[in-house]
């Protein structure tokens, strides 16, 4: 079975080498069972393309598609219209990428470091990392080296930058209001429907909340125990689950929120994904997947690239994190150069690799970096940092070392189970899912060589196909392809 945007149903029979002469209808169901088994072991491969920037070329130029240039793009966020916002880390800017791939700089000036509030290119940043959007279209930025949380507000055709909390270039650990609060290299953030901002305060090894109170912003600590030395080394790292300050993190970076207000964290140096849930008035931390811990030198004890359930899965410096409406988590697994999915299955969390090929050497250098567009493990990334997901399930990635922005969509999948699969009233049918807006063609064959187009439709969520001729063609195979 190919991992291209074409999936042949029944074609697995060619490789099954069954020496018996099966009745054709039984053979079809048998073959579909094999396809289902293979699909479950490889998850749902995503097809990735490059929508802006060009691998191997850094810069700051605005432009369309591969004519635009980035310099270590980090966090990404997507709005309801499909526009993408990027923290262009080394350029010290915030960029916008439209649906058609047009890149513009909306705040900051390329390679000019500072902390100035202001409009457009008059504003200054110092290594912005995370970005998040609120329902009004304002952006929030974790301005990492400035140790501040900034807001970028659209005003007419301009974007106005203000500092909400923290004091520029004053790392520390203190809850408080506005500039009285202190952060230590904040990295990722997310914003809820009430305008509260949740922050992965990496060197403090804490999860913080920035709450609007009138015209002020009040910072509190939800979980972890803060404190860092003058060099930004955490004083209280760990991997313990627990409540509030009894929990421990090890340089938490990516942050995402679900619709119930649960906070998800990529605990980067623990190589784990954590959940921070409000229970009564407390915030309780649990580890969903991966296995934490580190040695006396701060080196992770259990890095890896294995897919699996709960603590059997392995990550290698997970950074960006996003969550969809079904509470599936998407992870930019940086050193593995992969994009991972963490799906809730009952009370478990199952990790699969959507794209890229994992693995690192003894020094944690990626074994399979690259810049290739493609599907599943034929796609290549080079230390992806940011990830975002839109309402249609499309993924967006800040591919940092490639200086590119990538877009991924679920490859066409035929579901060989469920209510849409099988014979009903003498007609054979199955369900298809794939990228919304893609045109899909279903074809049939009796010999796996000559294919007859039967049905064409446009994907807009799951589709059900049913062949009215199937009762007269017991030896018929089916495949679906996009065009």
């Amino acid at each position: 079975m190919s991992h291209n945007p074409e999936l042949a149903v029944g074609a697995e029979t060619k490789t099954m080498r069954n020496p018996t002469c099966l009745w054709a209808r039984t053979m079809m169901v048998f073959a579909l069972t094999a396809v289902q088994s293979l699909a479950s072991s490889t998850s749902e491969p995503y097809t990735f393309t490059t929508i802006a920037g060009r691998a191997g070329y850094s810069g700051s130029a605005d432009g369309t598609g591969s004519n635009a240039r980035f310099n270590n793009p980090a966090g990404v966020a997507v709005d309801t219209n499909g526009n993408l916002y990027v923290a262009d880390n080394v350029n010290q800017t915030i960029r916008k990428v439209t649906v058609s791939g047009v890149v513009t700089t909306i705040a900051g000036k390329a390679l000019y470091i500072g902390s100035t509030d202001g409009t457009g290119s008059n504003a200054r940043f110092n290594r912005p990392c995370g970005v998040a959007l609120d329902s009004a279209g304002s952006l929030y930025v974790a301005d990492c080296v400035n140790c501040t949380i900034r807001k970028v507000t659209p005003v007419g055709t301009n974007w106005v930058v203000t500092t909400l909390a923290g004091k520029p270039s004053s790392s520390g650990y203190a809850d408080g209001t506005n500039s009285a609060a202190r952060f230590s290299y904040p990295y990722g953030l997310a914003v809820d429907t009430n305008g509260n901002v949740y922050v992965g305060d990496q060197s403090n090894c804490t999860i913080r909340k920035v709450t609007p109170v009138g015209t002020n912003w009040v910072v509190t600590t939800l979980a972890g125990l803060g404190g860092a030395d003058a060099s930004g080394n955490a004083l209280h790292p760990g991997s313990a689950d627990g409540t509030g300050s009894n929990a421990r993190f090890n340089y938490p970076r990516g942050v995402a929120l679900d619709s119930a207000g649960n906070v998800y964290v990529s605990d980067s140096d623990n190589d784990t994904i954590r959940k921070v849930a409000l229970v009564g008035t407390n915030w309780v931390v649990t580890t969903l997947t991966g296995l934490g811990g580190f040695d006396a030198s701060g080196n992770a004890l259990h890095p890896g690239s294995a897919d699996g359930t709960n603590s059997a899965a392995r990550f290698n410096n997970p950074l960006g994190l996003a969550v969809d409406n079904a509470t599936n988590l998407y992870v930019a697994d940086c050193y593995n150069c992969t994009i991972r999915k963490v799906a809730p299955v009952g009370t478990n969390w199952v990790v699969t690799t959507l794209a890229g090929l994992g693995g690192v050497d003894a020094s944690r250098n990626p074994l399979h970096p690259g810049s290739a567009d493609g599907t599943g493990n034929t796609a290549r990334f080079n230390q992806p940092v940011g990830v975002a997901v839109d309402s249609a399930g499309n993924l967006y990635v800040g591919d940092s070392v490639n200086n590119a922005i990538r877009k991924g969509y679920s490859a066409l999948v035929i579901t060989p189970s469920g209510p849409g699969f099988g014979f009903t009233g003498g007609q054979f049918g199955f369900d298809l899912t794939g990228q919304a807006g893609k045109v899909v063609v279903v074809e049939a064959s009796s010999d796996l060589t000559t294919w007859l187009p039967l049905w064409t439709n446009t994907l807009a969520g799951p589709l059900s196909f049913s062949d009215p001729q199937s009762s007269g063609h017991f030896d018929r195979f089916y495949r679906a392809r996009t065009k």
Side-chain angles (χ1 to χ4, degrees):
M1 183 176 64
S2 172
H3 281 191
N4 294 321
E6 173 182 86
L7 191 156
V9 177
E12 286 297 308
T13 314
K14 291 182 65 177
T15 64
M16 299 185 74
R17 304 181 188 276
N18 193 336
T20 62
C21 183
L22 298 173
W23 183 44
R25 186 176 296 181
T26 305
M27 180 176 66
M28 180 180 294
V29 176
F30 186 56
L32 281 167
T33 302
V35 173
Q36 183 182 22
S37 174
L38 182 60
S40 66
S41 67
T42 58
S43 181
E44 46 185 297
Y46 267 55
T47 298
F48 272 87
T49 59
T50 302
I51 60 174
R54 186 178 177 186
Y57 292 83
S58 63
S60 61
D62 290 340
T64 301
S66 61
N67 292 318
R69 294 290 180 268
F70 296 87
N71 201 342
N72 194 19
V76 292
V78 61
D79 68 19
T80 55
N81 296 316
N83 299 302
L84 196 67
Y85 300 87
V86 182
D88 198 2
N89 184 265
V90 176
N91 273 328
Q92 322 292 348
T93 55
I94 307 300
R95 317 286 291 277
K96 179 179 179 179
V97 186
T98 68
V99 176
S100 56
V102 178
V103 179
T104 54
T105 302
I106 62 174
K109 187 173 181 179
L111 303 179
Y112 281 72
I113 297 171
S115 60
T116 306
D117 289 341
T119 300
S121 60
N122 293 318
R124 296 289 182 270
F125 298 90
N126 196 347
R127 302 301 285 264
C129 288
V131 289
L133 277 161
D134 68 15
S135 57
S138 293
L139 285 166
Y140 299 81
V141 178
D143 197 4
C144 184
V145 178
N146 273 327
C147 297
T148 55
I149 306 302
R150 318 283 293 275
K151 185 176 182 179
V152 187
T153 306
V155 179
T157 58
N158 297 314
W159 293 82
V160 178
V161 179
T162 53
T163 301
L164 305 183
K167 186 176 180 180
S169 302
S170 299
S171 66
Y173 172 66
D175 289 341
T177 301
N178 302 337
S179 61
R182 293 289 183 273
F183 298 88
S184 191
Y185 304 98
Y187 194 93
L189 45 71
V191 60
D192 67 20
T193 55
N194 295 315
N196 300 299
V197 182
Y198 300 80
V199 182
D201 194 3
Q202 62 169 333
S203 292
N204 275 321
C205 292
T206 53
I207 306 304
R208 316 287 293 277
K209 183 178 180 180
V210 186
T211 304
V213 180
T215 58
N216 296 312
W217 294 82
V218 178
V219 178
T220 54
T221 301
L222 305 185
L225 185 59
D229 64 21
S231 299
N233 299 308
L235 295 178
H236 305 288
S239 60
D241 289 342
T243 300
S245 60
N246 292 319
R248 293 290 183 273
F249 298 89
N250 196 8
Y251 295 87
R253 294 186 174 101
V255 176
L257 283 168
D258 68 17
S259 57
N262 297 303
V263 183
Y264 299 89
V265 179
S266 55
D267 195 4
S268 300
D269 284 14
N270 271 322
D271 294 321
T272 55
I273 306 301
R274 317 284 292 276
K275 181 179 180 179
V276 187
L278 184 61
V279 180
T281 58
N282 298 312
W283 291 86
V284 178
V285 179
T286 54
T287 302
L288 303 183
T289 187
L291 188 60
F294 48 92
D295 63 21
S297 300
N299 299 309
L301 293 176
H302 306 288
S305 60
D307 289 343
T309 300
N310 303 335
S311 62
R314 294 290 183 270
F315 298 89
N316 209 327
N317 194 32
L319 294 180
L321 193 63
V323 61
D324 67 18
N325 293 331
T327 322
N328 297 299
L329 305 175
Y330 302 89
V331 183
D333 195 1
C334 182
Y335 291 166
N336 273 323
C337 296
T338 54
I339 305 302
R340 315 288 291 279
K341 181 178 180 180
V342 185
V345 180
T347 58
N348 296 312
W349 293 82
V350 179
V351 179
T352 51
T353 301
L354 302 182
L357 187 60
V360 299
D361 63 20
S363 301
R364 294 188 82 174
N365 298 308
L367 290 177
H368 305 288
S371 60
D373 290 340
T375 299
N377 62 16
T378 67
R380 290 290 185 274
F381 303 88
N382 200 342
Q383 299 184 43
V385 168
V387 64
V389 60
D390 66 20
S391 59
N394 300 307
L395 299 178
Y396 303 84
V397 174
D399 196 2
S400 64
V401 177
N402 277 326
N403 296 310
I405 306 301
R406 316 286 292 277
K407 180 178 181 178
Y409 56 88
S410 180
L412 182 63
V413 175
I414 294 175
T415 306
S417 62
F421 169 72
F423 286 91
T424 302
Q427 297 182 10
F428 181 75
F430 48 84
D431 294 329
L432 306 99
T433 56
Q435 184 189 20
K438 284 283 186 179
V439 175
V440 60
V441 179
V442 174
E443 300 173 330
S445 175
S446 60
D447 58 9
L448 297 174
T449 300
T450 303
W451 293 90
L452 174 68
L454 298 180
W455 182 81
T456 302
N457 215 322
T458 301
L459 288 164
L463 286 176
S464 294
F465 164 77
S466 183
D467 180 8
Q469 303 296 321
S470 53
S471 60
H473 296 272
F474 297 118
D475 60 347
R476 181 168 273 190
F477 293 83
Y478 299 88
R479 72 179 183 185
R481 61 179 177 83
T482 56
K483 69 172 187 178

